[in-house]
Amino acid sequence: MSSIAESQTPIDFASVRALAADDMREVDALIRHRLSSDVVLINQIAEHIIAGGGKRLRPMLHVLAARTAGYQGTEHAKLAAIIEFIHTSTLLHDDVVDESDMRRGRKTANALWGNAASVLVGDFLYSRSFQLMVELDDMRIMRILANTTNTIAEGEVLQLLNIGNADVDEAAYLAVIERKTAVLFAAATELGGVLGGLPDDQVAALRRYGMELGYAFQIADDLLDYVSDADTLGKNIGDDLAEGKPTLPLIFAMQTADAEQLKSLRHAIEHGGLDSLDRIIAAIRDSGALDRVHARAVSHAVAAKDALAALPASAHRDALLTLADYSVERRF
């Protein structure tokens, strides 16, 4: 008996975006409206963020999950905007912590306006998301989002503790990406089920889909840091290494490296910098770590797709299946 991951009829990412287009236009309009402020600097940074593009994957996940759950109302647009505000606020804070000067191929807000402005506008986005939550006046929804934002903050601190630590293992790495990335994916899809009034087991299935998708997406993203380039990835190759982040490609490479390679890999994590980037990347590729990392991302994508077996078949469920494949096969 084949799994849902094997039996899906493929549709491409452009078709997914087309399916969600009407909902996402409503979401984008709401985002633009609710980002406005009497404070000029907030409007400048907010406009910079909006103009930066991005695929708005997290809010798209929410509207697709809501439609998969049979939801026919309008509150999904507000929830999608909340999810995007939470995500964007974390990006603003991340770029300050990481001292990043480029995201999605453009200067970061902190590079243009400074760290203080970026942190404070990130706080504005968090508080604006709280205002929208209150407007929904649903304690179950507010509880999910409150727990999610708190968990994301824990993930930020965990990642900070791991920087420069060459002894971080796979379990510690996964604990970070669960909190930093996967929980917001999970909340986005779970909330779609909540809006649709699904029974608890189906809401749980949508949450499980989002969690597994979040793992797949972030593991694949960390892989791209070693196989992509600035033009396609939107940041410089080796940025994670320069920041001393022990991501899965490095963790796997150290497991099979010879003594000399292991010394180089540990030094790169502990001291950051890109002095020996070519040698480090060669060691990672020679170790077979990149194939292992890709296989791990694919396993999470398959688990995400299989979770959707609990939901009735529909074009929107097929779109969620396609996003699982997209998360590990993208090359941007």
Side-chain angles (χ1 to χ4, degrees):
M1 182 174 172
S2 64
S3 71
I4 188 172
E6 296 169 334
S7 62
Q8 173 205 2
T9 300
I11 55 176
D12 60 26
F13 184 68
S15 297
V16 173
R17 297 188 77 171
L19 183 65
D22 288 344
D23 284 325
M24 290 306 296
R25 274 191 289 273
E26 186 177 350
V27 172
D28 288 343
L30 184 59
I31 286 172
R32 209 172 261 281
H33 173 64
R34 297 309 288 263
L35 272 179
S36 64
S37 167
D38 294 336
V39 180
V40 173
L41 182 58
I42 290 176
N43 289 328
Q44 289 175 333
I45 295 178
E47 182 59 34
H48 177 74
I49 295 166
I50 292 172
K55 292 180 171 59
R56 301 215 197 285
L57 181 59
R58 291 154 186 83
M60 187 189 301
L61 276 171
H62 173 68
V63 300
L64 289 171
R67 296 309 191 195
T68 298
Y71 182 67
Q72 298 299 319
T74 60
E75 299 286 19
H76 64 311
K78 192 171 287 187
L79 264 172
I82 291 169
I83 290 161
E84 183 67 3
F85 287 165
I86 292 170
H87 173 58
T88 304
S89 66
T90 65
L91 296 186
L92 284 167
H93 290 162
D94 271 355
D95 287 341
V96 171
V97 172
D98 297 340
E99 300 179 2
S100 301
D101 60 5
M102 190 169 83
R103 181 178 289 278
R104 296 168 181 159
R106 304 169 75 242
K107 284 286 188 180
T108 55
N110 54 296
L112 293 172
W113 287 280
N115 289 342
S118 292
V119 169
L120 293 172
V121 173
D123 292 345
F124 168 82
L125 289 172
Y126 264 134
S127 58
R128 183 50 54 88
S129 72
F130 298 154
Q131 289 177 321
L132 287 167
M133 287 181 215
V134 172
E135 289 175 19
L136 290 168
D137 195 24
D138 185 311
M139 186 55 69
R140 184 180 181 188
I141 288 173
M142 287 192 282
R143 185 178 294 110
I144 291 168
L145 287 167
N147 291 340
T148 299
T149 53
N150 189 257
T151 300
I152 291 170
E154 289 178 335
E156 296 284 356
V157 177
L158 274 180
Q159 178 169 272
L160 186 64
L161 292 173
N162 287 348
I163 288 177
N165 182 2
D167 294 317
V168 169
D169 60 13
E170 184 179 353
Y173 162 81
L174 291 174
V176 169
I177 68 171
E178 176 181 326
R179 289 166 172 81
K180 276 202 66 187
T181 302
V183 293
L184 190 55
F185 279 67
T189 51
E190 178 183 13
L191 289 167
V194 171
L195 276 189
L198 293 180
D200 288 348
D201 62 326
Q202 291 185 327
V203 172
L206 277 170
R207 180 175 179 82
R208 189 163 62 253
Y209 163 83
M211 187 71 77
E212 294 289 351
L213 181 68
Y215 279 124
F217 184 90
Q218 188 59 55
I219 292 170
D221 201 60
D222 291 340
L223 175 63
L224 286 173
D225 195 53
Y226 294 98
V227 300
S228 191
D229 55 55
D231 290 336
T232 55
L233 185 57
K235 64 178 184 177
N236 296 313
I237 189 169
D239 272 1
D240 288 344
L241 181 63
E243 295 159 12
K245 291 181 181 176
T247 57
L248 202 56
L250 284 166
I251 293 168
F252 279 170
M254 286 191 292
Q255 292 174 356
T256 58
D258 60 36
E260 189 62 31
Q261 289 174 327
L262 182 59
K263 182 179 178 182
S264 294
L265 290 166
R266 290 185 65 90
H267 183 272
I269 294 171
E270 291 169 352
H271 300 282
L274 299 175
D275 296 339
S276 55
L277 177 61
D278 290 343
R279 187 166 70 251
I280 297 300
I281 290 176
I284 292 171
R285 291 175 176 170
D286 290 347
S287 71
L290 299 182
D291 287 338
R292 288 180 64 196
V293 172
H294 183 257
R296 185 59 52 84
V298 168
S299 72
H300 284 290
V302 170
K305 292 163 75 171
D306 283 341
L308 293 177
L311 281 300
S314 69
H316 290 93
R317 191 189 73 166
D318 282 350
L320 292 176
L321 291 167
T322 296
L323 287 178
D325 291 329
Y326 169 76
S327 70
V328 295
E329 301 302 337
R330 70 196 195 282
R331 288 291 182 268
F332 62 87

